[in-house]
Amino acid sequence: MTARRTSSADGRRVAASTVATAAAVALAVLCFASGAGAQEIPAAPAEAPRAGGSDGWNSEAALLLIGHAIDARRYAWADSSLERFRADVQGHVYYLGDILGERHVIRADQVAVDVRWQRPDRSMQTIVGRRHELRLPTTIHYHLDHLFLVLDNFGDRIRIGDGHGQEIRDVLHPAAAGAREFYEYRLADSLEIRVRDRTARVFELEVRPLDGTDAGAVGSLFVERETGAIARMRVTFTPAAYRDPQIVRLVVDLRSALQEGRYWLPDEQELEIVRSLPWFDFPLETLVRTRLRVLDYDFGEEALFGLGPGDLIYSYRDEELARFDAWEDPLFAGPLEGGSADGDLGAAVADARGLLLRRTLLGGRRWQLALPNASGGIRARRSEGLFVGAGGTYRPNDLTRVSFGGGHAIGEARPQASLGLRRRVGAVEVEVDGWLRAHRDVGPPAGVGALRTLALLAGGEDYEDPYLTTGGRIGIARREGPVRWQVGASFERHRSAGLVVGTAPFGDRPLRPVRPVDDGELARVDAGLTVELQGGPGTRWTLELAGEAAAPGIGDFGYTRATAALRARGYPGGAWTWASGIEFGAAGGTLPAQRLFLLGGRGSLPGYEFRGWGGDRMALWRAEVSRAIASPWLRLRAIGAVGRADIGRAGESAARRFGVGGSEGLRASAGLGAGLFYDILRLDVMRGEDWIVLLSVDPRFLRIL
């Protein structure tokens, strides 16, 4: 007989939580999960614990329940009537890069695993199918235990990283023998799950080490009252548990389903590992996200051979793995760039942080060197000459971060400085920033900073129109999840920058003058919203809205300004990719020159004068399609752009002072190009009013280079 993945109904909350019935039903369908083995323990506590009615940490009810769970784990295999089973498992493993909250796929893997178990505790897992795709260069090799199903709930000691604990080593399991002397427990909630002819009552048991500085697990166990089986375990770990100093956080979520109305067996498991350099704060982190899902259980298949003691792990040869074609999901359909199947695993970290009160939960050092991007360390600009900078961060706890930085513009012979404070409050961050003589660009970046330095050195053009600002801002923001937003208020003093580099470094050609802006004080409020829209497999849609308003009664300027953009990127499979984006802008009041919408040249409409048009209204559409010719070394590209800028009453005076006019209708440019080495470096030939050759970098690296 074959058992499909168990579903259930009639789930309902019965305790302190007021979460809606629909959420309980969803949890019941999943039946939670954390492979604690096949457990069929008939004995139950003499008195059922009452969620919400406990006396806090280590209450009598909580200790009674965890004692039952410890006993169930100790006798699980011996007391179970289960003789054997076979399971078909499939899953995804993604290696992601996180750039300032935006996640991008570096490598995607999909695996199919054949799992066989025989009593008392013997198992064999074999990878029978595997496929992958590289989108950026990497030499990563996953630890084997990231690719296989956890059958024994980690045993009494939790080890992650090829079983040798290269990531987590010898952490005492919260339901192991002796755990009550190391951990403390608290009843949090309960749930009833009706399955066939019985009702399973599951209690959430929060757990944390008695001493938060010890190497331990922090999170929740979901324990069935009747059997003591752990139906789910969602935990992260204290910093002392991490063996790799680059680990920032590691989260494990194991969920089980009730099979045959008797056995709690693995159903789904998820893992997230976040890494960064422990001594250097840079806006780039890497993540490994895995999700394995059991598709079928077979309890009646006769064993053709007996398994040896312990856990055996095998894999087919590469050519045999490639022939597997019975995939249930596409390659890009797992925990990709977003939340997990049961909420973002980041929520587990937030919950665990609440359990530890103010103790540090994340890995990494308190004091770190820091740079906002590569150009924050060294760059060359027409208005600065050579700039050299450095910075640092101090993190007193997981919720607070203080950053500071500065540098010296040698050509300008003036210092620059910045100071920032971030404090997390629930799901949002409170932000306070101040800056001195910061150089800002009137328009959006026309390319990565490193290439603009090279362009100035080689050709005498840095593709920006800078001005100087000193001021501060306070705001709140949500920078995680599919819906991100920010609101804030700032007060700044603006003034025009000067040209401090007269001629090109290599040659005597004079450089483009620095355009003047409107000097004065600016008081404004701003808001922004980014929404990750639902798309098909391999497709990502993003809606971006932003607006600002300046008060003339407080500062010297009074205006309103708003933008809207819809962007999409697709990987339909095979060798093709595409990207498209359309954006609009409009303003009212009286714009200063530094808040005009600018178009033309690199960054918008190549083949025309750089930022030759401007105004108080703007529209721009850009698109590209590419195909790999010799992956990953060469990719052919076709690029196009159409846009216009119009001048109304709000921008008429500012456009005249800044030296730009309207585009007088739509302007277009198009061309062909080549993407080199995973499409990171791009060489394009485009035609607008003139022919132009452009060297650029993948825009995903815009904010870190």
Side-chain angles (χ1 to χ4, degrees):
M1 97 191 124
T2 299
R4 299 291 299 179
R5 298 180 67 223
T6 302
S7 61
S8 56
D10 194 27
R12 60 185 181 87
R13 292 283 186 189
V14 297
S17 175
T18 58
V19 178
T21 302
V25 172
L27 292 174
V29 170
L30 288 176
C31 295
F32 289 126
S34 88
Q39 304 186 41
E40 187 189 22
I41 313 299
E47 179 181 354
R50 294 176 294 109
S54 69
D55 299 322
W57 290 100
N58 278 351
S59 67
E60 181 180 356
L63 292 177
L64 181 68
L65 186 61
I66 191 61
H68 192 41
I70 292 173
D71 290 340
R73 280 173 52 84
R74 184 181 305 167
Y75 301 114
W77 302 115
D79 292 353
S80 174
S81 61
L82 183 62
E83 293 288 338
R84 69 183 67 87
F85 66 75
R86 179 178 179 179
D88 292 328
V89 178
Q90 290 189 17
H92 296 81
V93 184
Y94 293 113
Y95 184 49
L96 308 172
D98 188 308
I99 301 176
L100 293 171
E102 293 186 3
R103 294 182 175 181
H104 305 279
V105 176
I106 300 173
R107 173 175 173 142
D109 286 74
Q110 192 171 13
V111 295
V113 185
D114 176 79
V115 179
R116 298 168 186 260
W117 177 88
Q118 295 175 7
R119 66 177 303 152
D121 58 355
R122 300 178 178 185
S123 67
M124 181 176 72
Q125 301 193 49
T126 306
I127 298 180
V128 297
R130 185 171 183 176
R131 58 181 177 175
H132 77 278
E133 179 180 318
L134 279 176
R135 290 188 177 174
L136 289 171
T138 179
T139 58
I140 186 173
H141 294 283
Y142 301 119
H143 292 149
L144 286 177
D145 53 6
H146 298 169
L147 308 177
F148 293 96
L149 199 64
V150 176
L151 293 174
D152 61 352
N153 203 249
F154 290 119
D156 284 348
R157 292 284 175 174
I158 300 176
R159 299 178 179 89
I160 301 176
D162 276 350
H164 303 297
Q166 297 181 25
E167 292 156 343
I168 299 292
R169 183 172 65 197
D170 292 336
V171 169
L172 185 66
H173 193 288
R180 281 173 291 189
E181 286 72 44
F182 184 82
Y183 291 102
E184 56 184 344
Y185 308 87
R186 181 174 67 183
L187 279 171
D189 204 354
S190 70
L191 176 72
E192 279 191 355
I193 304 172
R194 188 163 190 83
V195 184
R196 296 183 181 176
D197 57 349
R198 61 163 291 192
T199 298
R201 192 173 187 186
V202 176
F203 288 83
E204 181 183 359
L205 198 60
E206 295 174 335
V207 57
R208 68 185 184 190
L210 288 167
D211 185 346
T213 63
D214 287 336
V218 186
S220 295
L221 308 178
F222 294 80
V223 181
E224 189 195 11
R225 181 182 67 87
E226 180 181 349
T227 66
I230 299 176
R232 180 184 187 184
M233 183 173 78
R234 188 181 73 164
V235 297
T236 184
F237 300 89
T238 60
Y242 299 137
R243 312 309 300 175
D244 182 351
Q246 295 187 7
I247 294 180
V248 177
R249 68 175 183 268
L250 190 154
V251 187
V252 177
D253 192 355
L254 307 178
R255 298 187 289 276
S256 292
L258 194 61
Q259 300 289 345
E260 300 288 289
R262 306 165 70 186
Y263 311 118
W264 287 98
L265 293 174
D267 187 56
E268 294 186 33
Q269 72 180 46
E270 295 190 69
L271 172 74
E272 179 179 273
I273 305 173
V274 181
R275 286 183 170 90
S276 68
L277 292 176
W279 55 272
F280 188 49
D281 184 10
F282 194 72
L284 173 64
E285 293 180 331
T286 60
L287 302 86
V288 173
R289 287 183 62 92
T290 75
R291 180 188 178 195
L292 298 179
R293 184 167 59 100
V294 179
L295 304 179
D296 295 282
Y297 273 106
D298 191 331
F299 299 101
E301 181 179 287
E302 291 296 328
L304 300 179
F305 52 88
L307 298 180
D311 301 319
L312 305 178
I313 293 176
Y314 297 100
S315 176
Y316 285 177
R317 296 177 183 270
D318 290 344
E319 56 271 18
E320 295 173 311
L321 295 176
R323 285 198 292 267
F324 184 88
D325 60 359
W327 299 108
E328 289 280 325
D329 300 306
L331 179 59
F332 294 94
L336 174 62
E337 300 175 294
S340 67
D342 191 46
D344 192 348
L345 290 178
V349 177
D351 294 343
R353 185 182 294 119
L355 299 181
L356 285 181
L357 301 178
R358 297 186 178 182
R359 297 169 182 168
T360 300
L361 186 62
L362 301 181
R365 299 176 183 175
R366 289 193 174 187
W367 288 95
Q368 295 177 307
L369 296 176
L371 284 176
N373 49 57
S375 296
I378 185 169
R379 63 177 179 262
R381 297 290 185 268
R382 300 178 358 260
S383 61
E384 296 175 304
L386 179 65
F387 173 87
V388 179
T393 59
Y394 172 64
R395 183 166 55 91
N397 52 57
D398 290 346
L399 303 178
T400 307
R401 178 178 175 271
V402 179
S403 61
F404 49 91
H408 188 74
I410 296 175
E412 189 187 20
R414 294 290 182 87
Q416 301 177 24
S418 64
L419 180 66
L421 170 67
R422 300 290 183 270
R423 173 70 180 183
R424 179 176 286 275
V425 180
V428 303
E429 281 189 350
V430 178
E431 305 175 337
V432 181
D433 294 286
W435 55 89
L436 172 68
R437 297 183 55 79
H439 282 237
R440 290 188 182 164
D441 193 359
V442 171
V448 299
L451 277 187
R452 290 191 285 126
T453 292
L454 294 177
L456 178 64
L457 297 176
E461 176 61 87
D462 58 6
Y463 298 104
E464 72 172 24
D465 293 292
Y467 65 97
L468 303 180
T469 171
T470 296
R473 180 183 182 274
I474 184 170
I476 59 174
R478 182 187 180 104
R479 302 195 180 279
E480 298 176 350
V483 178
R484 304 182 293 275
W485 53 266
Q486 62 177 19
V487 295
S490 60
F491 185 83
E492 311 171 31
R493 179 173 297 166
H494 293 179
R495 71 178 183 87
S496 299
L499 183 67
V500 301
V501 180
T503 60
F506 301 101
D508 56 359
R509 182 167 60 88
L511 301 188
R512 181 170 59 92
V514 174
R515 300 177 183 181
V517 300
D518 293 321
D519 296 352
E521 295 179 343
L522 171 65
R524 65 178 170 182
V525 294
D526 63 86
L529 174 68
T530 300
V531 181
E532 301 288 347
L533 304 175
Q534 292 291 334
T539 304
R540 182 177 180 181
W541 290 81
T542 305
L543 174 66
E544 301 173 357
L545 304 175
E548 61 184 83
I554 303 176
D556 298 321
F557 310 110
Y559 67 90
T560 57
R561 189 178 190 271
T563 60
L566 180 63
R567 310 184 196 280
R569 178 179 291 272
Y571 301 87
W576 292 93
T577 65
W578 60 270
S580 178
I582 186 168
E583 51 191 300
F584 302 94
T590 303
L591 279 178
Q594 54 267 38
R595 301 311 293 149
L596 288 167
F597 297 107
L598 302 176
L599 285 182
R602 177 185 287 267
S604 57
L605 292 167
Y608 297 95
E609 179 188 355
F610 180 68
R611 294 178 178 171
W613 305 305
D616 50 39
R617 298 186 302 276
M618 174 274 295
L620 177 65
W621 173 75
R622 290 177 288 185
E624 66 178 68
V625 61
S626 65
R627 188 183 192 283
I629 301 300
S631 182
W633 307 105
L634 179 63
R635 176 177 289 272
L636 293 185
R637 296 162 30 86
I639 317 103
V642 178
R644 67 179 295 167
D646 296 310
I647 300 176
R649 293 182 57 185
E652 182 178 7
S653 177
R656 184 173 59 252
R657 294 191 299 272
F658 199 68
V660 295
S663 64
E664 299 180 352
L666 290 174
R667 302 290 181 134
S669 64
L672 297 174
L676 308 176
F677 192 56
Y678 292 93
D679 202 26
I680 295 176
L681 193 64
R682 299 173 175 183
L683 186 64
D684 302 321
V685 178
M686 300 197 68
R687 168 76 177 180
E689 187 176 46
D690 301 303
W691 288 98
I692 187 172
V693 178
L694 293 178
L695 179 66
S696 63
V697 171
D698 188 330
R700 289 178 292 179
F701 301 105
L702 180 66
R703 295 192 289 175
I704 62 173
L705 294 179

